[in-house]
Amino acid sequence: MKERQYIARRAAEWEAWDRWLAAAGRPRTAAPEGDAAGAAGLPQRFRRLCHDLALVLDRNYSAALAEDLHRRVLAAHQRIYGAGEPQGHAWQRFFGGDLPALVRREWRLVLAAGLLLFVPLLGFLLLIQGWPDAAFLLLSPETVGEIEDMYSPAARHLGRPRAASSEWAMWGFYIANNVRIDFQAFAGGVAFGLGTVFYLVYNGLHIGAIAGHLTQIGYVSTFWGFVAGHSAFELTGAVLAGAAGLKLGMALVAPGRQARLAALRQHARVAVKLLYGAAALTLLAAFIEAFWSPRPDVPFAFKLAAGGALWVLTWAYLLLAGRARAA
């Protein structure tokens, strides 16, 4: 059966699901409109909806149709089983499995965002080791002098500008700075994804310039010891925010059979969930950056080991958590 024929055959029931999902205040046990069996027919209708999704995937119908059905199945499942769930439990479920499952489902966008951030970062870092003056292509002499003061082995407080008075002040500064970066990457998606691409590449180059310059002048233990602990959360958060921005951009570049505005609304529901994950990682990164990273009494090797462990744990969580629930 061709895709258009299948859509025409099943559209009426899908529209009934949409009306049911959009209805506010109805009991979650009430059946979608048009179900003569009432609430007793709800399990059968839900099984048919899941079967529709499985069939569309098996027959390799369009990605837009598959995503639309997947959204409908998730919304119906949440309405049936999740309505009235305490807010705390909802957040536990989201971070306990829904977020990692979403990251895996959107792996192509996550991978693209990661490449846009990390390839310029590593490339510029390595370039500066052979051409030290390349750092000044992106950083002003004043900025270079400031970061040298912040990460000098003789610095009284690592990573802290002179204007900051305490760890709490730095925590607020790091939150504001990281949120700004994540929001730029996310909001840039409304410019057909070009803004997201720009901010990911620019921030990758900027971080690479700072890391490359400080490495080249020998501030290895102070700089890398400082960033090791929070880098997993901060950079992964930036990648998720970038993936969210690319999701918005895809709705405008390739809306499929939908109008661009409708596609943007649909993709935004997914993008915002990725942004929730980015925000949580950003808050964790800022806390570690303010209270753990600057500590001079922690050995450099231990900071590196702790940072490496956090990278492994972060991506083990995103790649493995929630698989049992999905199964």
Side-chain angles (χ1 to χ4, degrees):
M1 183 182 297
K2 294 184 178 180
E3 180 175 346
R4 290 184 179 179
Q5 294 174 322
Y6 189 74
I7 293 174
R9 182 177 177 181
R10 302 291 299 138
E13 189 164 329
W14 296 343
E15 290 170 0
W17 275 109
D18 290 339
R19 290 192 296 271
W20 181 70
L21 290 168
R26 293 185 58 179
R28 59 177 174 170
T29 53
E33 295 178 12
D35 189 356
L42 185 59
Q44 290 81 3
R45 278 183 173 265
F46 185 67
R47 283 196 292 270
R48 286 201 298 271
L49 184 64
C50 295
H51 180 264
D52 289 339
L53 175 60
L55 201 63
V56 164
L57 294 173
D58 184 64
R59 292 178 177 177
N60 291 318
Y61 287 161
S62 68
L65 177 60
E67 186 169 356
D68 189 52
L69 278 172
H70 188 268
R71 172 193 59 78
R72 196 174 283 116
V73 167
L74 286 178
H77 184 276
Q78 183 176 5
R79 178 78 181 274
I80 295 168
Y81 298 104
E85 182 179 24
Q87 189 68 20
H89 293 176
W91 284 110
Q92 289 175 12
R93 187 182 62 193
F94 176 72
F95 288 107
D98 290 354
L99 174 62
L102 178 62
V103 170
R104 293 193 294 271
R105 192 165 68 245
E106 301 294 337
W107 68 269
R108 293 175 181 83
L109 295 178
V110 174
L111 177 61
L115 292 174
L116 288 169
L117 179 68
F118 285 108
V119 170
L121 190 160
L122 295 174
F124 213 65
L125 189 157
L126 294 175
L127 174 64
I128 292 174
Q129 306 317 300
W131 181 27
D133 289 343
F136 293 95
L137 297 175
L138 283 177
L139 306 175
S140 67
E142 293 78 12
T143 301
V144 170
E146 182 179 349
I147 62 173
E148 287 180 359
D149 289 341
M150 290 168 57
Y151 297 101
S152 168
R156 184 177 178 182
H157 298 286
L158 284 178
R160 184 190 299 182
R162 295 176 182 176
S165 58
S166 67
E167 287 83 358
W168 291 103
M170 288 308 302
W171 187 34
F173 170 80
Y174 293 137
I175 289 175
N177 183 66
N178 295 345
V179 167
R180 175 183 58 82
I181 293 173
D182 291 350
F183 184 76
Q184 286 174 337
F186 170 70
V190 299
F192 294 86
L194 295 177
T196 299
V197 172
F198 169 79
Y199 283 116
L200 286 173
V201 172
Y202 172 78
N203 283 299
L205 290 172
H206 188 77
I207 296 170
I210 293 174
H213 176 72
L214 294 175
T215 301
Q216 196 275 328
I217 64 174
Y219 291 180
V220 174
S221 62
T222 51
F223 173 73
W224 290 106
F226 180 87
V227 302
H230 62 268
S231 60
F233 294 147
E234 182 175 327
L235 296 180
T236 302
V239 168
L240 294 188
L246 293 177
K247 186 70 175 179
L248 296 181
M250 288 298 298
L252 300 174
V253 173
R257 293 183 175 84
Q258 296 177 299
R260 281 191 168 86
L261 184 58
L264 184 62
R265 284 197 297 264
Q266 180 178 327
H267 284 221
R269 286 192 287 268
V270 177
V272 167
K273 292 179 181 178
L274 289 171
L275 194 62
Y276 289 159
L281 290 170
T282 293
L283 290 176
L284 286 172
F287 185 84
I288 295 173
E289 192 171 5
F291 294 99
W292 160 267
S293 298
R295 293 188 57 173
D297 56 330
V298 180
F300 174 59
F302 186 79
K303 283 188 173 182
L304 289 185
L310 287 176
W311 273 103
V312 172
L313 290 174
T314 299
W315 282 97
Y317 160 71
L318 293 175
L319 296 175
L320 301 176
R323 289 187 178 273
R325 179 185 303 171

